[in-house]
Every structure is written in C-alpha cells, then in structure tokens.
Amino acid sequence: MKKIKLVALLFGLSLWASSVYADITLQSADEVQGTWSLKYSKNSLTDKQPINREDIWVFKDGKLTILHIPRDGIYYDQPPVVYGVEDGKLKVAIIGSSRVDLYTVIEKDAKNMTLKGKYGNYYFFNQK
C-alpha cells in the first residue's frame, strides 16, 4: 500500500511540475504583435544577475524590427526581419542568413511576455 501511495504522490508532483513550467503554444503571429520593451535578459531562470536591456521589439505585419539597440555608447536600429509561428514557437529570421532563431513563449499576458531562446536564454518584455 505504501508503494501505491508513493507512486501516486510522485505522479501528482510530476503533473504539477509540468504545469508550472508549461510553455505557451502560439496559434498565430498576431498573438505577439505590438511594441514590446525588452527590460532584461537572463542566461537561466535561476541566474541571479540579470542583464538590463533597452531594446524595443516591434512585431508588425509579419516583420520584427528591433530598435534602440545599445552598442559602444550609441544606439542603432536593426532592419526588419520576417517572423512567424512554427509548431507553436516564434520563428525569427536572422539578418544575412538563411537560418532562424526559435523562441518559446514562457509567459504572456496583456502587459508582459517572457521568451526563451533556443540556447536557454530568457527575455523579459513589457508591452509599450
């Protein structure tokens, strides 16, 4: 009887843990459309030292434009690139390449969005 209770408890914990870290599956590119201010990024969720960011990501008409990117004391804007949704993930073209970046939406509501990059980096946005 103790084994059954232990198995049931472990099963219940595994269901709870998977629901806590469940990714949001995007249905269309319109779900991220708008202007988002990138506040900070982290190398992992447990990273204690977030990197403050100032970028502004504009998702509009199937194009992503990243504005106000700081570099060497000045700011520049990136030309627009194509974005879309593939298998529930955000797919963003890389400038000058045929490759793409894939982002998983970890959290999203009307004012905030958290993306996870394919290499495990997290990006925390506020709606502008």
Side-chain angles (χ1 to χ4, degrees):
M1 192 65 160
K2 287 183 181 182
K3 287 184 181 180
I4 293 173
K5 286 182 182 179
L6 181 61
V7 169
L9 177 66
L10 290 175
F11 179 70
L13 284 174
S14 69
L15 288 177
W16 176 77
S18 65
S19 68
V20 169
Y21 294 107
D23 300 335
I24 296 173
T25 303
L26 294 175
Q27 302 301 318
S28 76
D30 293 336
E31 293 179 62
V32 295
Q33 189 161 313
T35 302
W36 296 90
S37 177
L38 180 56
K39 293 301 180 187
Y40 61 96
S41 63
K42 289 183 172 186
N43 292 329
S44 71
L45 282 179
T46 58
D47 192 354
K48 300 224 187 292
Q49 296 180 348
I51 300 166
N52 291 326
R53 303 288 295 265
E54 301 175 42
D55 313 15
I56 298 170
W57 292 30
V58 180
F59 294 93
K60 183 177 179 184
D61 300 328
K63 301 273 186 182
L64 167 62
T65 306
I66 302 178
L67 308 171
H68 202 258
I69 304 168
R71 181 88 65 220
D72 298 326
I74 60 171
Y75 295 93
Y76 74 97
D77 298 340
Q78 174 182 300
V81 294
V82 176
Y83 79 94
V85 171
E86 183 176 290
D87 297 328
K89 297 183 180 203
L90 187 61
K91 179 179 169 182
V92 178
I94 297 174
I95 292 178
S97 174
S98 60
R99 297 181 307 163
V100 296
D101 277 331
L102 288 175
Y103 297 94
T104 303
V105 179
I106 301 299
E107 179 182 39
K108 182 173 180 321
D109 60 32
K111 299 273 185 196
N112 301 295
M113 176 170 65
T114 304
L115 299 178
K116 179 182 177 186
K118 64 183 174 183
Y119 298 112
N121 295 1
Y122 289 83
Y123 303 90
F124 299 86
F125 295 88
N126 290 343
Q127 180 83 42
K128 266 192 110 162

